[in-house]
Amino acid sequence: MPGYIVDAHHHLWDMNACEHTWLAERGVVRFFGDPAPIQKNYHASDFKSEFGRLPIRKSVHIQCGVAVDSSVAETLFVDGQFDEHGYPNAIIAFADLTSEHLEDTLDRHGASERLRGVRQIVGRSAEEDRKTGSAGLLQNPAFVEGLRMLVSRELSFDLQLTPPLMAKAADVFGTVPELPVALCHCGSPSDFSDEGIEEWSSGLKRLADLPNLICKISGFGMFDHQWTTDSIRSHVLRVIEIFGPKRVAFGSNFPVDKLHGSYQSVMGGYLDITAEFSSDERNAMFAGTAEAFYRI
C-alpha cells in the first residue's frame, strides 16, 4: 500500500449552485451509461463517504459539464467545499479557450486559490463528438492561442480526447512545450479489439513523446461497463509501460464511475494491479505525480 493516495480525477456538483446541462437531461443515456442514479447533488461529504479505509489524503476536482455561464459558479462552489470539508485540494475549471472573453473568465476563476488549470474537452466518444464538433478545436488557431494564455498564467491543461485524435493532438500540444498537460482517462480507449488497442497504444506513444505530459489512469468504467480488475489489468500496465511510473497518476472518476463499481473496487483494483511495483514507484503513481503536477 502506498503511504497515502491522491485521487487525481473526480467531480463534485450541486444542482442548485450551477447549471449542469447533462445532469438536467432526464432519460438520456450517455456513452458512459444511464446517469439517472447520479443525477443528484454530489458534495465533498459524499465523496469522503466513498473512501472506506483507503488513505485518500488529497484530491483534484475536474470540471464536469456545467453550462458555459455557470463555469465560474462551479469553481466557487467547489472552492467552498474545500473550506468546509478539506477536499478537493486543486480545481480544474472549464473555460472556452477560443473565446474572446477568455482572459476575463480566467480572472474570475482565479478568485479561487485552488485553481490549477482548465479542461475543455476535445473528445468524449465518436457519437457525441459528431454532434458537438469538439474535435475541431485541434484545427482552431484560437485554441492554441488559448493554450498559450494558460502558460502565461502558470496554469495547466487537462486533455480529454479519444484515440483517433491522439496523433493530431500530439502535433498541436507539441507547439506549446511549456504547458503542463494531463491526459484524462488514458485517452478514453473504447475499442478493445486488436486493431483498437494498437491504435490506442500508438497514440499514447505519440503523446508520451511530449515531456510536459502526464497520463491519468481512470475512467475505464465509462467504456467497459462490465469491467473487472482482470479485464483492465493489461491496459493499465500498458499505460505504465509507455509513460513510466513517474508520469502516471490514478483517479477514481467518481461519481461517474460509480455507475459501474464502488470506490473500493476502482481504487482497490489499481492497487492490486500495481502490487508488484516498488514502493517508490507506487508512491509516485498514487500520490507524487499528482502532487507535483497539480501543485498540492
Side-chain angles (χ1 to χ4, degrees):
M1 175 74 72
Y4 59 91
I5 296 171
V6 176
D7 188 333
H9 193 112
H10 74 88
H11 312 285
L12 302 176
W13 53 65
D14 187 290
M15 306 285 282
N16 298 312
C18 317
E19 180 186 354
H20 286 271
T21 51
W22 67 273
L23 286 170
E25 292 178 340
R26 301 294 175 174
V28 179
V29 177
R30 302 288 301 282
F31 67 92
F32 53 80
D34 182 355
I38 58 173
Q39 287 180 308
K40 57 186 177 180
N41 290 348
Y42 191 80
H43 291 183
S45 56
D46 301 303
F47 176 66
K48 291 169 69 175
S49 73
E50 313 279 9
F51 296 172
R53 296 182 179 179
L54 290 171
I56 310 298
R57 183 178 294 182
K58 302 175 186 178
S59 75
V60 181
H61 163 83
I62 311 297
Q63 67 83 18
C64 196
V66 292
V68 173
D69 292 343
S70 286
S71 64
V72 175
E74 179 190 39
T75 293
L76 297 179
F77 156 69
V78 174
D79 203 50
Q81 291 292 291
F82 175 85
D83 293 337
E84 187 173 354
H85 299 287
Y87 295 91
N89 305 82
I91 296 172
I92 299 300
F94 172 78
D96 180 0
L97 298 188
T98 70
S99 170
E100 62 183 12
H101 306 296
L102 176 60
E103 192 165 7
D104 175 66
T105 299
L106 294 177
D107 284 343
R108 291 187 291 131
H109 280 303
S112 169
E113 65 182 44
R114 274 160 283 282
L115 178 70
R116 294 294 183 270
V118 163
R119 180 173 77 162
Q120 183 174 14
I121 293 177
V122 175
R124 296 171 178 84
S125 69
E127 180 181 357
E128 294 196 10
D129 295 344
R130 282 192 291 270
K131 296 177 182 177
T132 64
S134 57
L137 289 169
L138 295 176
Q139 313 290 339
N140 190 337
F143 180 67
V144 177
E145 289 306 309
L147 294 174
R148 291 185 176 130
M149 184 177 291
L150 297 182
V151 173
S152 71
R153 290 171 174 254
E154 298 184 340
L155 296 172
S156 65
F157 185 78
D158 262 52
L159 172 62
Q160 182 170 335
L161 81 177
T162 56
L165 302 174
M166 286 179 172
K168 177 61 177 177
D171 292 338
V172 170
F173 284 86
T175 68
V176 195
E178 307 88 357
L179 177 67
V181 179
L183 178 63
C184 298
H185 309 317
C186 340
S188 304
S190 60
D191 179 357
F192 298 104
S193 67
D194 290 345
E195 294 79 7
I197 293 297
E198 176 57 34
E199 178 184 46
W200 173 56
S201 301
S202 177
L204 285 179
K205 291 172 183 176
R206 285 289 309 277
L207 290 170
D209 285 339
L210 304 178
N212 53 316
L213 188 144
I214 68 166
C215 184
K216 293 196 291 186
I217 299 176
S218 58
F220 282 105
M222 292 193 298
F223 301 100
D224 179 3
H225 300 170
Q226 307 301 319
W227 74 273
T228 65
T229 297
D230 285 339
S231 74
I232 67 171
R233 185 181 302 275
S234 64
H235 308 321
V236 171
L237 293 175
R238 186 182 300 264
V239 173
I240 297 172
E241 178 183 9
I242 290 171
F243 281 89
K246 293 185 178 180
R247 292 177 62 198
V248 300
F250 285 101
S252 68
N253 196 37
F254 261 54
V256 177
D257 267 30
K258 189 175 183 177
L259 294 171
H260 308 293
S262 69
Y263 197 99
Q264 314 299 314
S265 64
V266 171
M267 201 61 75
Y270 295 146
L271 288 166
D272 178 79
I273 291 167
T274 59
E276 299 303 315
F277 286 83
S278 72
S279 294
D280 286 348
E281 289 170 331
R282 296 182 95 201
N283 285 334
M285 292 187 285
F286 284 95
T289 299
E291 286 179 313
F293 185 89
Y294 291 111
R295 293 173 284 131
I296 54 178

